[in-house]
Amino acid sequence: MTLSISEKLRRFYDQFSGNDHVLIVINADPDAIASAMAVSRLLWRRVATVTISHVNTINRPDNLAMSKLLRVSLVPHTDIQLSQYSKIVIVDSQPDHNEFMNQLSPQVIIDHHPETGAKAPYLDIRPNYGATASIMTEYLRAARIKPSVKLATGLFYAIKTDTNAFKRQTVIEDVRAFQYLFRYVNIHLVRKIEQADLR
């Protein structure tokens, strides 16, 4: 049985309560950073705190430019005390993708990579999608959240890079998400991130 996006959103929200301290764990790249921003926005005012932590060293110019220009606060996983968090979310990855992630018991996993048999109370894995950012855009739309310029720019750039400007495997939903985000994007910021990558 395939759930509607509004039903998925409801089940996603059911995983959290107002006093939760949420840790979002990513392997930082444009898709993961933007998807984590979207999760953070969905949980805004619904949980006590949200922290985004990355398991990899961020040294690629586009990742550095993206986190700086879009003002995303990222904490290295080595600086994290797991005991301080009541809920863990993994986006754009699955536990087997990384040693640190493998030790975690995530509440939520949302990803577009091939399934690895990951287990969590809430799972949304769609390997046919070109980007996790496309999935997260659907959640924002279902929640009737208009993305801020920075969030839209991040998601837009993520879909563009992960689908290699739609030359890689994509579905119509990736195109729809991309077109929707275009209304809210700052193209000047997108170019700045892209130019950092070219340098």
Side-chain angles (χ1 to χ4, degrees):
M1 183 185 91
T2 352
L3 297 175
S4 70
I5 187 63
S6 47
E7 179 59 22
K8 283 182 176 183
L9 177 72
R10 194 184 63 72
R11 290 190 182 190
F12 167 82
Y13 276 145
D14 283 349
Q15 307 303 320
F16 305 97
S17 67
N19 48 9
D20 274 326
H21 295 276
V22 180
L23 179 66
I24 305 171
V25 183
I26 59 169
N27 188 348
D29 69 6
D31 195 19
I33 295 169
S35 298
M37 288 170 75
V39 172
S40 182
R41 177 63 187 87
L42 285 164
L43 294 177
W44 184 57
R45 288 189 172 162
R46 283 178 174 263
V47 296
T49 62
V50 176
T51 304
I52 304 172
S53 176
H54 55 98
V55 296
N56 56 330
T57 309
I58 303 180
N59 44 23
R60 278 192 43 181
D62 59 340
N63 293 342
L64 291 165
M66 188 172 173
S67 51
K68 193 174 129 200
L69 293 166
L70 304 182
R71 302 217 173 106
V72 191
S73 167
L74 300 168
V75 183
H77 78 284
T78 44
D79 296 351
I80 290 292
Q81 274 189 296
L82 288 173
S83 57
Q84 293 178 352
Y85 299 94
S86 53
K87 298 286 163 68
I88 294 171
V89 177
I90 294 178
V91 275
D92 194 41
S93 256
Q94 290 165 54
D96 314 26
H97 292 178
N98 173 276
E99 215 172 294
F100 175 73
M101 286 183 186
N102 224 344
Q103 308 164 32
L104 306 174
S105 305
Q107 202 72 22
V108 170
I109 301 171
I110 301 175
D111 188 25
H112 77 114
H113 294 99
E115 295 204 38
T116 60
K119 300 263 185 292
Y122 182 78
L123 272 179
D124 188 357
I125 299 174
R126 308 188 208 173
N128 55 329
Y129 275 59
T132 304
S134 304
I135 302 171
M136 295 318 306
T137 303
E138 291 182 7
Y139 278 84
L140 291 167
R141 293 186 77 173
R144 302 213 164 101
I145 293 172
K146 183 185 137 190
S148 67
V149 170
K150 287 190 171 69
L151 176 55
T153 301
L155 291 164
F156 179 88
Y157 178 70
I159 297 169
K160 194 176 175 184
T161 35
D162 252 43
T163 63
N164 191 11
F166 297 97
K167 291 186 197 77
R168 268 193 219 124
Q169 200 230 304
T170 47
V171 287
I172 187 68
E173 285 79 3
D174 292 299
V175 181
R176 282 196 193 120
F178 191 76
Q179 288 172 332
Y180 166 77
L181 293 163
F182 187 72
R183 296 175 224 179
Y184 306 109
V185 159
N186 178 334
I187 285 296
H188 178 64
L189 272 180
V190 174
R191 296 232 169 88
K192 275 188 141 169
I193 301 167
E194 285 174 337
Q195 279 159 359
D197 197 27
L198 294 172
R199 278 205 294 279

